[in-house]
Amino acid sequence: MSALSPQALTLIMLGSLLVLVFSGFPIGYIIGGIALLVGILVWGVDVGQLFYIRMYGYATGYIILALPLFVFMGVMLEHSGITEKMYDTLYLWLGSFRGGLAVVTVLLGTILAACVGVIAASVTMLSLVALPSMLKHGYSKSLATGATVAGGCLGIVIPPSIMLVVYGPMAGVSVGKLFAGAVVPGLIMSSLYITYISIRSHFQPALAPVVPAGELKVSWAKKAKMLVTSTLPVLVLLVSVLGVIFLGIAPPTEAAGVGAFMSIVLVIAYRRFSFKVLGKVGLTTLRVCGYCCLIMAMAGAFTSVFLGVGGKDIVVNFLLSVPGGRWGSFTAIMLILLVLGMFINWLGIVFLMVPIISPLAAQLGFDPLWFGIMVCVNLHMAFMTPPVAGAIFICKGICTPEMGVSMADIIRGVWPFVLLVVTALALCIAFPDLITWLPSKMIG
Amino acid sequence: MRKLLSVADSITVWAGRVGAVSAVAMVCVVSYGVFIRYVAHAPELWPYEMTIMLGGSVFIIGLSYAELKDAHVGVDIFTSRLSPRVVAIINVVCALLFLFPPVFFITYISIGWAWDAWVGGERMAFTGWYPPAWPLRTMFALGFFCLSLQGTARFVRRLHYVVRGESI
């Protein structure tokens, strides 16, 4: 052992991490570099084996392998053109209501969320398809971008979600049960968004002009046909992915594989398939997985070193010393996650924090499943909270200069939705059954 | 120098193609495994470990491909206001301190594991199929080697920019 006390090492590791994150250098390397330097300082060069073993362990964990498959599925669906089809349909059905297009955006986000597990995919699709149409019809930039970002972010909560795929094995909770537990909170958020949009556009009609009736003159038969043809493929995907998991037929990895395969079939059916598209989807999957792998492995090694030097006890003692009993500690955990989420990527947080907070939550008597969903809903807010808000960046990146959307517009539009997420969290605290009811009905 | 850098890039691009094929193959293998189990009622062991081998390859090859495509992102809220040259200096220093030590070290260790798997006949033991472990262990060594290569290439480019003030 080195001469440094556990307190000093804890401080060095966490302090240097929090400072160096702002260097702008890839966070995976920073985490890994700190872990290696501290590890060598304490145990010598053998600690290098830990890095390899961690990486090998994650990359060969069967459940984690659902991640590439869900990513593949999401990216493939981006190429299917299904988003445009669904948007056109929902637009005809709901465009005549005040605020209807923003409601359509959230609804579409909810449906997409159930098809893709990757946040970038659903935010990208909504920004490409729903946002231009809202702006064209004179919607306020803030409301339009807020609905796009918040609706797209549902993708990381509503199953299948890669955040839950990663959280499950880290905390020793079944991924299938986590998926089931996330359904109701996800739908609550979606309903809160829709309610908010409807009320706000009712009282401030200028924010969301009604679509001229002329644009919506389509026969009911045609509307009905469009509804069926655009939602049927989605239903097939939903059943083939979530159905088999909830019914206990297949584990998430197999369901993800079948979902990915079905997404290829869907692209073929929509006549958008080519080997060029397949190659592009493969390469995008590779890029996302490489990015995830670096953070997972390095954060995993960091946590091992951190636990090894005794950092866990220090953090746990701190959290337990917060006044207010178990709910005081719970609030402290949630606030820490929220603040970390503003700066560090969620994947890093899950790997750094879950090994510490998940045993602590169990020790405090919280249901692991309920706690897991609370953590994930909380972390999903990180995509919407500046300064580092992935979803806002994606949305801004897709906006063309002609749209004239500024970062401030988006941030102004997103804040109300962040408050709605907090409301949803409060509801889940008041009524834990919202999370635990559906998993308890699951078979197996 | 320019030539060496482009060789490094093209190695990563080729590794990326292998990885993309692995991703597609993985989708097919998992689906096939599900099909023979639930539809044909003739389950086999090999799809499980084949999935692990392909999926592991996707993760590991993805590392260098993400480096090539600048997908390993950091928090640039402060550095985006600095001049490109200062950013390059920060990146050069950070690479020396945080990228090279873990990446080179893991590459070295992964070559040892791959060597042992070849020589010692190590087998994977997730199921009763017991396939040899060397394909995946070798993939790991190659993947980390590519990451070292790509990381170095990136470093050289940035260093060049710091010294000469122009891109290479």
Side-chain angles (χ1 to χ4, degrees):
Chain A
M1 273 308 259
S2 83
L4 289 164
S5 68
Q7 282 83 356
L9 287 166
T10 306
L11 208 65
I12 290 173
M13 287 187 82
L14 293 182
S16 55
L17 178 61
L18 286 178
V19 172
L20 288 164
V21 156
F22 294 104
S23 67
F25 203 65
I27 191 156
Y29 296 128
I30 301 247
I31 294 175
I34 295 173
L36 186 68
L37 295 178
V38 173
I40 289 178
L41 191 71
V42 178
W43 294 289
V45 288
D46 283 344
V47 82
Q49 291 289 344
L50 179 75
F51 283 75
Y52 181 85
I53 292 166
R54 279 275 162 227
M55 184 114 31
Y56 192 79
Y58 290 135
T60 59
Y62 193 65
I63 300 177
I64 296 268
L65 292 179
L67 193 153
L69 295 165
F70 277 134
V71 173
F72 188 96
M73 179 171 121
V75 180
M76 200 51 154
L77 280 176
E78 269 187 71
H79 288 270
S80 70
I82 192 166
T83 326
E84 288 90 335
K85 283 194 168 55
M86 279 198 294
Y87 184 80
D88 291 344
T89 311
L90 291 171
Y91 168 81
L92 288 176
W93 280 88
L94 299 169
S96 59
F97 295 99
R98 193 163 279 287
L101 294 188
V103 171
V104 167
T105 308
V106 172
L107 269 181
L108 192 57
T110 314
I111 300 171
L112 284 177
C115 303
V116 303
V118 202
I119 181 117
S122 43
V123 178
T124 308
M125 285 190 262
L126 288 183
S127 305
L128 283 171
V129 177
L131 184 58
S133 165
M134 278 191 281
L135 295 176
K136 198 181 87 193
H137 287 96
Y139 274 55
S140 106
K141 284 171 199 157
S142 296
L143 185 68
T145 50
T148 305
V149 169
C153 283
L154 289 170
I156 203 143
V157 176
I158 295 181
S161 123
I162 58 165
M163 189 189 271
L164 298 173
V165 167
V166 174
Y167 185 93
M170 290 304 295
V173 185
S174 142
V175 172
K177 296 217 161 180
L178 281 171
F179 275 12
V183 171
V184 177
L187 294 179
I188 289 177
M189 282 194 283
S190 163
S191 339
L192 284 173
Y193 296 168
I194 291 174
T195 316
Y196 159 74
I197 292 167
S198 311
I199 294 176
R200 180 116 194 249
S201 49
H202 179 76
F203 287 108
Q204 288 173 289
L207 292 181
V210 177
V211 176
E215 282 188 33
L216 301 169
K217 260 199 193 131
V218 176
S219 73
W220 283 98
K222 185 154 185 237
K223 276 205 223 173
K225 189 178 162 237
M226 282 177 78
L227 190 64
V228 173
T229 52
S230 68
T231 48
L232 201 63
V234 177
L235 280 179
V236 171
L237 256 180
L238 267 177
V239 170
S240 60
V241 176
L242 293 182
V244 295
I245 299 174
F246 290 166
L247 294 174
I249 297 173
T253 308
E254 294 188 348
V258 174
F261 191 76
M262 297 298 285
S263 68
I264 301 179
V265 173
L266 206 66
V267 172
I268 294 175
Y270 282 137
R271 298 177 201 286
R272 299 252 185 138
F273 183 84
S274 69
F275 283 97
K276 210 176 148 200
V277 167
L278 191 66
K280 234 167 106 183
V281 173
L283 284 176
T284 309
T285 308
L286 193 66
R287 203 183 65 214
V288 175
C289 288
Y291 161 72
C292 291
C293 181
L294 185 74
I295 296 179
M296 290 194 305
M298 294 304 189
F302 183 95
T303 309
S304 301
V305 171
F306 189 70
L307 299 184
V309 300
K312 182 184 169 181
D313 294 337
I314 291 165
V315 174
V316 166
N317 285 339
F318 166 73
L319 288 171
L320 287 175
S321 69
V322 175
R326 64 199 279 256
W327 288 105
S329 306
F330 178 80
T331 314
I333 293 173
M334 286 290 147
L335 285 177
I336 290 174
L337 290 177
L338 190 64
V339 173
L340 283 179
M342 289 180 182
F343 301 104
I344 304 181
N345 165 293
W346 65 269
L347 202 56
I349 302 178
V350 169
F351 275 81
L352 294 176
M353 293 294 289
V354 170
I356 297 170
I357 57 175
S358 123
L360 177 65
Q363 189 192 328
L364 290 170
F366 292 110
D367 179 45
L369 185 65
W370 177 84
F371 184 75
I373 301 293
M374 293 300 284
V375 168
C376 290
V377 173
N378 187 345
L379 285 179
H380 123 281
M381 258 192 291
F383 288 93
M384 306 194 243
T385 44
V388 182
I392 294 182
F393 293 160
I394 295 172
C395 182
K396 177 81 179 82
I398 292 173
C399 287
T400 54
E402 298 88 68
M403 291 183 185
V405 175
S406 72
M407 208 69 170
D409 286 329
I410 308 184
I411 293 170
R412 250 202 316 278
V414 166
W415 273 118
F417 290 96
V418 172
L419 292 180
L420 291 173
V421 179
V422 176
T423 314
L425 281 171
L427 280 173
C428 291
I429 291 173
F431 310 103
D433 281 349
L434 291 174
I435 291 173
T436 52
W437 173 77
L438 194 59
S440 69
K441 297 283 169 222
M442 244 171 84
I443 304 161
Chain B
M1 182 54 82
R2 218 165 283 245
K3 203 161 177 196
L4 276 177
L5 289 174
S6 72
V7 168
D9 284 354
S10 56
I11 290 176
T12 309
V13 168
W14 269 101
R17 285 181 188 146
V18 174
V21 171
S22 308
V24 176
M26 184 187 179
V27 172
C28 297
V29 167
V30 178
S31 305
Y32 178 75
V34 172
F35 178 80
I36 55 173
R37 176 163 347 134
Y38 297 108
V39 183
H41 297 290
E44 299 247 12
L45 289 174
W46 66 264
Y48 187 89
E49 265 151 331
M50 202 63 197
T51 308
I52 291 177
M53 285 190 215
L54 290 168
S57 310
V58 170
F59 274 125
I60 294 304
I61 298 174
L63 287 173
S64 58
Y65 190 71
E67 179 64 37
L68 176 75
K69 294 288 170 189
D70 203 8
H72 295 303
V73 288
V75 177
D76 62 353
I77 47 170
F78 291 136
T79 49
S80 60
R81 281 153 210 213
L82 303 172
S83 80
R85 196 141 179 185
V86 177
V87 173
I89 292 172
I90 294 176
N91 280 320
V92 163
V93 174
C94 282
L96 283 172
L97 283 174
F98 304 111
L99 191 154
F100 289 148
V103 170
F104 285 170
F105 204 17
I106 304 176
T107 307
Y108 168 74
I109 289 169
S110 68
I111 293 170
W113 279 89
W115 176 257
D116 287 351
W118 280 88
V119 176
E122 186 198 354
R123 287 180 178 273
M124 290 166 77
F126 295 100
T127 66
W129 182 36
Y130 297 125
W134 63 260
L136 189 55
R137 296 275 188 206
T138 310
M139 221 42 166
F140 266 63
L142 289 175
F144 287 126
F145 176 75
C146 285
L147 181 62
S148 301
L149 197 67
Q150 198 58 48
T152 311
R154 194 81 182 285
F155 174 78
V156 171
R157 284 201 173 98
R158 277 170 174 155
L159 192 63
H160 187 270
Y161 185 77
V162 170
V163 178
R164 297 275 173 83
E166 57 187 37
S167 304
I168 185 172

